[in-house]
């Protein structure tokens, strides 16, 4: 109930989120969302995480959703505040993260009149629609619940994504004429694959001797079905967003090694590939020049995926889990795959890993030490930095689909906020956050949030005093003319102390695994580990792009 004993649209929103299963929300308090957050506070049933900025709040909700399997919730301010959220909404859209972004609006009387009201922005709804899967405006108290229900249904319907809702400030505090009897969310339909189409695909695959699965982000949670097909004789490779769909320690998966020359050569020995829930993105297919096995088949809940990037022999429209379960039901026990196939796949991956270790030396030692220290129960959250583009995305193994989150859209500086969301959602895991010094500076405002929320995250700061990948690009493409890539970097020890982080500086690989074990085992509210790359030395091969 509100303070005047009347229930408002704010109360209705909070109650709907609770009924839909939300337990956590992230956001920034503003004059244009106070009636909403007042209701959240009074009801006191959602954990509310106070972010320092709108971009941070949405990034937190994004990674929270990726690592928990729930939908994310983020509250932001209006106008410039909603604009601040757009970069993070684009990231969530790229990753296909289901979340609700809830923002305010100026009073209905002044809306869209261009009268210069506080926080007013030109065509805010179109801006949010461009950055989100969809955007809605609540136009009256009586229609609010219908908007909330449809927004969540759309966010959770494959292909999933963020949906924005703007609510004018006067409507937020409007008293309801009645309290709805039913606050339950709408059912979410799954794309059921056609049985005849499944039969046709199974028949096409039944005689394959060396079949592969390519699993993308849209198939991340179809691991049990994929495992059945591996047991039937398939091999597997994933996109970076699809990591952990099957434990990357499984010898029958290539992990994310899809661009190494040896892997492409191995693909040519395969006699079928089924791409599931993946857009076959430009950076993971060398601009669609990667030669994939033929015949090539595709399964996707988005019918628009048919023909994107690669022409396929058959496209099957359907939910990834339902489709793979259907294939497994038809194929398990009926295939006679090459007995040497899985062994050759494992050898191919081993060679690819050895090549990458040589390229990233001496930082292969850091990867190995961190892997040994982390165990199996961790979140692996990464920013756009050289270490992630090389060993973080591939060498460091992820055992589960909900244990990894990275900046899929290529935006720098989102890691810290994403790590906070992952740590809040999964307090039983250690959250490891890999970030560069340049990326950390971009969203350093959220440093105190990690401590305030007692996240226990371990922030791994790769400090090379600038934008290392841009230096390498300048060397490779601009005749060595480096420009605007060097940064004034803070004293990270003092920065950590100022915000209450435990701090460690690493300048040698000697005894590193034991030291990292101790850091992870005895972490406090938050820990910062600075890797002094000037002391540790350069990579054996400079990295200047996705292919290594």
């Amino acid at each position: 109930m509100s303070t005047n004993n009347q229930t408002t649209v704010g109360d209705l929103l909070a109650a709907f989120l609770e009924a839909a299963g939300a337990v956590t929300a992230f956001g920034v308090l503003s004059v244009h969302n106070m009636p909403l957050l007042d209701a959240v506070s009074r009801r006191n049933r959602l954990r509310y995480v106070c972010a320092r900025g709108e971009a941070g709040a949405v990034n937190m909700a994004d990674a929270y959703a990726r690592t928990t399997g729930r939908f994310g919730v983020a509250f932001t301010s209006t106008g410039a505040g909603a604009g601040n959220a757009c970069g993070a909404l684009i990231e969530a859209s790229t990753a296909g993260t289901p979340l609700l972004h809830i923002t305010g609006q100026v009073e209905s009387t002044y809306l869209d009149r261009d009268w210069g009201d506080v926080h007013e922005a030109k065509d805010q709804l179109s801006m949010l629609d461009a950055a989100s899967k969809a955007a809605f405006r609540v136009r009256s108290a009586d229609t609010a619940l219908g908007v909330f229900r449809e927004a969540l249904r759309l966010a959770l319907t494959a292909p999933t994504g963020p949906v924005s809702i703007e609510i004018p400030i006067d409507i937020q505090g409007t008293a309801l004429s009645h309290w709805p009897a039913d606050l339950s969310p709408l059912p979410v339909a799954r794309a059921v694959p056609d049985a005849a189409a499944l039969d046709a695909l199974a028949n096409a695959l039944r005689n394959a001797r060396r079949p592969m699965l390519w699993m993308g982000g849209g198939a991340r949670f179809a691991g049990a079905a994929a495992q059945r097909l591996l047991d039937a004789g398939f091999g597997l490779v994933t996109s970076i967003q699809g990591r952990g769909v099957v434990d990357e320690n499984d010898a029958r998966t290539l992990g994310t090694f899809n661009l190494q020359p040896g892997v492409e050569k191995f693909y040519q020995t395969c006699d079928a590939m089924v791409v599931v829930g993946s857009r076959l993105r430009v950076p993971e297919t060398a601009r669609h020049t990667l030669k994939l096995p033929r015949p090539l088949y595709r399964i996707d809940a988005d019918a628009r995926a048919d023909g994107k990037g690669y022409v396929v022999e058959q496209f099957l429209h359907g939910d990834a889990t339902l489709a793979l379960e259907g294939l497994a039901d038809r194929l398990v026990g009926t295939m006679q795959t090459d007995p040497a196939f899985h062994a050759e796949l494992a050898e191919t991956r081993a060679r690819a890993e050895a090549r990458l270790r040589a390229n990233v030396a001496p930082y292969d030692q850091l990867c190995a030490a961190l892997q040994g220290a982390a165990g199996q129960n961790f979140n692996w959250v990464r920013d756009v930095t050289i270490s992630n583009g090389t060993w973080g995305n591939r060498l460091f193994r992820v055992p589960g689909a909900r244990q990894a989150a990275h900046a899929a859209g290529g935006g720098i500086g989102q890691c810290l906020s994403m790590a906070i969301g992952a740590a809040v959602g999964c307090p039983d895991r250690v959250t490891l956050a890999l970030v560069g010094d340049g990326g950390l500076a971009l969203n350093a405002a959220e440093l105190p949030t990690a401590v305030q929320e007692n996240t226990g995250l371990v922030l791994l700061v790769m400090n090379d005093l600038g934008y290392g990948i841009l230096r390498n690009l300048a060397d490779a493409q601009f005749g060595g003319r480096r420009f605007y890539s060097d940064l004034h970097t803070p004293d990270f020890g003092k920065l950590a102390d100022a915000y209450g982080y435990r701090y460690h500086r690493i300048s040698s690989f000697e005894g590193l695994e034991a030291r990292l074990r101790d850091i992870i085992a005895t972490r406090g509210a938050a820990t910062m580990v600075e890797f002094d790359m000037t002391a540790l030395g350069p990579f054996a091969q400079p990295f200047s792009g996705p292919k290594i």
Side-chain angles (χ1 to χ4, degrees):
M1 299 291 288
S2 65
T3 55
N4 61 0
N5 295 321
Q6 290 182 312
T7 51
T8 67
V9 170
D11 292 287
L12 180 63
L13 174 62
F16 170 72
L17 293 173
E18 296 159 14
V23 295
T24 305
F26 305 84
V28 177
L29 180 64
S30 161
V31 66
H32 275 124
N33 65 21
M34 290 189 76
L36 301 176
L37 293 179
D38 173 54
V40 170
S41 175
R42 281 187 286 98
R43 294 179 65 85
N44 197 29
R45 296 175 190 174
L46 295 177
R47 176 180 178 181
Y48 181 78
V49 175
C50 297
R52 271 45 176 191
E54 291 85 2
V58 175
N59 282 144
M60 291 174 200
D62 180 354
Y64 172 91
R66 295 194 214 182
T67 54
T68 64
R70 300 188 177 101
F71 65 92
V73 180
F75 289 87
T76 73
S77 184
T78 310
N84 288 341
C86 283
L89 287 169
I90 291 170
E91 167 59 30
S93 294
T94 303
T97 303
L99 67 84
L100 291 182
H101 164 233
I102 301 155
T103 189
Q105 247 302 2
V106 301
E107 290 185 26
S108 301
T109 302
Y110 302 103
L111 188 53
D112 296 330
R113 291 177 178 265
D114 194 23
W115 285 359
D117 202 356
V118 176
H119 291 179
E120 182 181 8
K122 177 184 176 183
D123 204 4
Q124 175 178 291
L125 192 61
S126 293
M127 174 181 71
L128 295 175
D129 187 63
S132 309
K133 181 179 179 181
F136 298 98
R137 175 180 293 169
V138 174
R139 299 182 184 276
S140 70
D142 292 336
T143 60
L145 180 58
V147 172
F148 302 156
R149 280 177 161 157
E150 176 59 11
L152 181 59
R153 185 198 68 79
L154 191 58
L156 292 170
T157 300
T160 55
V163 175
S164 294
I165 306 171
E166 63 170 33
I167 312 174
I169 183 69
D170 54 311
I171 295 177
Q172 294 176 32
T174 297
L176 300 177
S177 58
H178 72 284
W179 188 257
D182 181 11
L183 290 174
S184 60
L186 297 174
V188 177
R190 300 170 74 183
V192 179
D194 178 73
L198 274 173
D199 289 341
L201 182 55
N203 288 336
L205 291 168
R206 185 165 285 111
N207 294 323
R209 298 272 290 162
R210 300 168 69 90
M212 287 291 297
L213 291 172
W214 174 306
M215 306 286 280
R220 284 175 70 200
F221 307 123
Q227 190 78 46
R228 292 180 65 197
L229 289 170
L230 291 189
D231 294 342
F234 280 74
L236 184 141
V237 67
T238 77
S239 69
I240 296 173
Q241 184 67 3
R243 297 191 67 180
V245 62
V246 168
D247 186 343
E248 290 185 343
N249 295 295
D250 192 313
R252 298 168 298 180
T253 173
L254 289 167
T256 54
F257 285 94
N258 52 2
L259 284 180
Q260 293 273 11
V263 174
E264 186 174 38
K265 183 178 180 181
F266 170 76
Y267 282 161
Q268 303 317 301
T269 73
C270 301
D271 55 2
M273 174 175 273
V274 183
V275 177
V276 190
S278 174
R279 284 171 292 177
L280 296 173
R281 297 177 64 208
V282 164
E284 298 193 53
T285 60
R287 299 189 176 275
H288 300 120
T289 64
L290 178 66
K291 293 180 181 178
L292 297 178
R294 289 287 176 175
L296 185 64
Y297 307 100
R298 199 161 186 172
I299 297 171
D300 209 290
D302 185 354
R304 298 170 298 177
D306 189 4
K308 281 189 177 179
Y310 290 82
V311 175
V312 296
E313 275 71 22
Q314 180 183 343
F315 178 82
L316 178 64
H317 178 237
D319 173 86
T321 298
L322 295 178
L324 290 182
E325 286 288 2
L327 280 181
D329 290 343
R330 290 162 170 79
L331 292 175
V332 170
T334 70
M335 301 184 72
Q336 294 183 343
T337 54
D338 183 350
F341 180 49
H342 284 155
E344 291 178 22
L345 183 152
E347 291 170 5
T348 298
R349 177 172 176 174
R351 288 192 295 270
E353 288 181 333
R355 182 174 183 268
L356 182 52
R357 281 194 296 270
N359 289 346
V360 303
Y363 294 91
D364 59 317
Q365 298 175 62
L366 167 54
C367 179
L370 187 62
Q371 191 88 70
Q376 295 291 299
N377 194 29
F378 58 80
N379 288 323
W380 182 228
V381 185
R382 297 99 64 207
D383 206 351
V384 175
T385 187
I386 290 177
S387 289
N388 182 56
T390 54
W391 59 267
N393 272 345
R394 293 175 177 82
L395 278 182
F396 190 88
R397 295 187 177 185
V398 175
R402 290 196 172 101
Q403 291 181 241
H406 77 296
I412 193 171
Q414 303 181 67
C415 176
L416 172 59
S417 302
M418 293 176 71
I420 292 169
V424 167
C426 307
D428 59 315
R429 302 178 194 157
V430 58
T431 293
L432 305 171
L434 182 67
V435 62
D437 56 301
L440 180 59
L442 192 64
N443 215 357
E446 301 300 347
L447 283 168
T449 310
V451 176
Q452 180 173 319
E453 297 298 327
N454 196 34
T455 61
L457 66 81
V458 178
L459 190 60
L460 309 169
V461 184
M462 306 304 297
N463 183 12
D464 62 359
L465 304 176
Y467 295 126
I469 191 168
L470 298 178
R471 291 173 182 152
N472 292 344
L473 281 167
D475 290 346
Q477 298 181 19
F478 294 86
R481 298 187 304 279
R482 296 183 176 183
F483 41 94
Y484 315 134
S485 57
D486 293 335
L487 301 172
H488 173 70
T489 301
D491 182 320
F492 283 107
K494 292 180 179 178
L495 185 66
D497 184 62
Y499 284 122
Y501 281 69
R502 293 173 69 245
Y503 171 74
H504 302 268
R505 179 176 172 272
I506 306 292
S507 58
S508 168
F509 295 109
E510 185 176 354
L512 183 55
E513 182 173 334
R515 189 170 180 186
L516 289 173
R517 283 184 186 275
D518 181 64
I519 289 170
I520 291 172
T522 60
R523 68 188 192 276
T527 300
M528 183 183 296
V529 185
E530 177 190 358
F531 291 87
D532 182 350
M533 297 179 72
T534 301
L536 293 170
F539 285 81
Q541 175 177 297
F543 177 69
S544 57
K547 192 169 184 178
I548 185 168

